[in-house]
Amino acid sequence: MRDVAIVGSSQTKFGKLPKSNVELFAEAAIDAINKSGLSQKDIEALFLGTVFSDFEEGQVNMAGFGGAEIGLGNIPATRFEGACASATVAVRDAAMWVASGQFDIVLAGGTERAFTMGTPFATRTFAMGGDAKYEAVTGNTFPGAFAMAARLYAVNYDIPLDKLMEMLASVTIKNHKYGALNPLGQFYGKMGDLTVEKVLSGPRIAEPLGLYDCCPFSDGGSAVVITTAEIARELTDTPVYIVGTGQGSAGALFRQKDFTKPKSRVASARMALKMAGLSPSDIDVIELHDCFTPAEAIALEAMGFYDWGTAAKASDDGDTDIDGTYPTNISGGLIGKGHPVGATGAAQVHAICEQLRGEMPQGMQVDGPEIGMTDTLGGDFGTIAHIVLSLSKRRK
Amino acid sequence: MAEYILTAEDYYNGLRENKLMGLKCKSCGAVTCPPMKVCDTCGSEDLEVVQLSGKGTLRTFTVSRVPPEGFEAPYCPCIVETDEGPWVPGRLNVDADAATQDLIGKRVTATHYVLPADKYSAGEMVSALWSLEE
Ligand SMILES: [Zn+2]
């Protein structure tokens, strides 16, 4: 397997955007290609994450249109769909294809117009990421799944539910603090000063979760250019190496039983870290799937950063803030930056690339990180993928 | 042909008569419910159809306030650990506005409710409706 690196990455503004899915992807893709020093003719394949484009704008089969829109010619172009993890799976497969020697340069990314669907219909389509026959029939939603997780967590660790939600408020307060600083975030300049009282008194969505425990529906696009370590070194002094990737899967949420300890996420994170030859303590900066406040705590534990049942408190203690042990979602995360589901994974990778290169906007730069990790969740742990990124090549 | 001995449709039809149907594994003895092609515990295809007791313990739930299009809030999706082992989803038959954390661990019994077909389903669906034991 060849060493693989990212030489260009980008995301559009996230929010409510008057652009098509193809247009959102095209803006991010051209920006990523321009940053890489390559041109469209160098791209040998396109891997594109999109989830709900058929519901959003009556469009399936989008990869070809995305490639044609930016002049990639008649190269292989493939749509990836793993619910909210789609773009991470696209990036992971792109890295694998380059590592294998089949392609030298691949463009991976994603796009979504979820905001445009409106809340009732978006909620319906997102719920399709859970098991249709046995779960969607109950009318459960994604906030519902993580509301259930919060209740399980409270029981497992004998924490009063209101105390748990108070601790978890620190997740949304932190992520909105940085989201408000991010010019490309959905809530740029807004909600940077949430308080525990405000979070806990927000409109109820799926009890015990309120509005401020939830990420928004978002439109947005993202892209990364992936190539060999050899080509990367010719193009840039600061390639970001993809040193480890992992992916996991699971069936319906109820079959996973205690889903505060999601097995698919544990397996995927371990796979990525093992490939990288690293352990959780080596990771300097994290972008993870904070779709809801309990999700951030569960992810931090499943990835091995904290013992089971301790991440909510660690977050409340500030240990995941920019100067903590494990700076997490300093881009604003899904909660503060936005969650255009098909684009989210590549945008997380982009955020880690900027962190490692020291290019984050003011107030969002972690001090000198060398290794970062992304975590992206599709459905209720049905698809999950991790990427480990480093300024140094993989340890052999 | 490796045909199913209990399909989703069969599971729905059992629930229509308030019967919770599942599969018992002839290899490891574990029960799978709702049904799958293989044993959810060991992967064996050597299964027989069984009726569960329809009783269990509430493990978790939520109160849905912002429903998907086509649903009317509030209602309480839940997951129950059945006495036979499988965790089974459904709805909790309680006053949603009075549903609090102390419901978790309570004993429940299954009946059913029917969700009408719509544009985004493959037809009418049926799910367990869990009521607190007297
Ligand atoms: Zn078995």
Side-chain angles (χ1 to χ4, degrees), chain A residues 57-238:
Chain A
E57 52 186 17
Q59 182 70 69
V60 297
N61 195 25
M62 199 195 298
F65 302 114
E69 185 77 8
I70 56 171
L72 295 188
N74 303 107
I75 61 169
T78 309
R79 172 182 178 178
F80 281 69
E81 195 272 292
C84 307
S86 297
T88 304
V89 178
V91 168
R92 178 171 187 264
D93 273 34
M96 289 291 184
W97 280 82
V98 171
S100 77
Q102 181 69 33
F103 298 123
D104 288 335
I105 301 167
V106 176
L107 179 65
T111 186
E112 203 67 53
R113 296 180 79 187
F115 194 119
T116 300
M117 287 193 283
T119 295
F121 189 50
T123 301
R124 178 73 189 265
T125 60
F126 277 53
M128 295 177 188
D131 184 279
K133 296 189 301 290
Y134 303 123
E135 276 174 5
V137 58
T138 69
N140 203 15
T141 60
F142 272 92
F146 280 93
M148 287 182 171
R151 289 184 184 278
L152 279 172
Y153 192 102
V155 170
N156 285 352
Y157 306 115
D158 200 20
I159 305 168
L161 187 63
D162 51 356
K163 175 65 189 164
L164 175 62
M165 296 315 296
E166 196 183 309
M167 290 195 289
L168 289 173
S170 64
V171 171
T172 189
I173 292 169
K174 168 178 63 73
N175 296 354
H176 271 301
K177 177 172 75 177
Y178 294 107
L181 296 174
N182 190 337
L184 297 178
Q186 185 154 347
F187 301 110
Y188 179 51
K190 294 176 195 157
M191 301 216 289
D193 55 355
L194 280 178
T195 60
V196 174
E197 294 67 35
K198 177 147 190 191
V199 172
L200 296 180
S201 63
R204 300 293 87 191
I205 303 296
E207 289 165 32
L209 302 191
L211 181 63
Y212 302 112
D213 290 299
C214 303
C215 70
F217 295 113
S218 315
D219 305 338
S222 60
V224 299
V225 180
I226 295 168
T227 186
T228 65
E230 213 164 71
I231 293 172
R233 276 194 304 273
E234 292 168 15
L235 291 167
T236 171
D237 293 333
T238 54

Side-chain angles (χ1 to χ4, degrees), chain B residues 66-128:
Chain B
V66 179
E69 186 177 297
F71 292 78
E72 232 173 276
Y75 53 86
C76 298
C78 72
I79 302 177
V80 169
E81 181 172 0
T82 60
D83 289 353
E84 292 80 4
W87 288 33
V88 174
R91 276 197 195 163
L92 195 56
N93 187 23
V94 295
D95 174 7
D97 292 326
T100 54
Q101 180 79 349
D102 54 13
L103 287 171
I104 292 178
K106 296 262 195 256
R107 296 286 300 161
V108 289
T109 308
T111 54
H112 76 280
Y113 68 92
V114 175
L115 187 76
D118 79 357
K119 188 163 57 168
Y120 301 113
S121 70
E124 202 173 75
M125 292 194 280
V126 189
S127 186

Side-chain angles (χ1 to χ4, degrees), chain B residues 25 27-30 39 41-44:
Chain B
C25 179
S27 296
C28 78
C39 171
T41 300
C42 78
S44 169

Side-chain angles (χ1 to χ4, degrees), chain A residues 328-352:
Chain A
T328 299
N329 288 327
I330 307 302
S331 72
L334 281 56
I335 284 177
K337 183 174 62 178
H339 184 26
V341 290
T344 288
Q348 292 175 315
V349 168
H350 170 61
I352 295 292

Side-chain angles (χ1 to χ4, degrees), chain B residues 24-32 38-44 46-47:
Chain B
K24 190 173 170 66
C25 179
K26 293 183 188 172
S27 296
C28 78
V31 173
T32 298
V38 301
C39 171
D40 194 19
T41 300
C42 78
S44 169
D46 196 8
L47 305 165

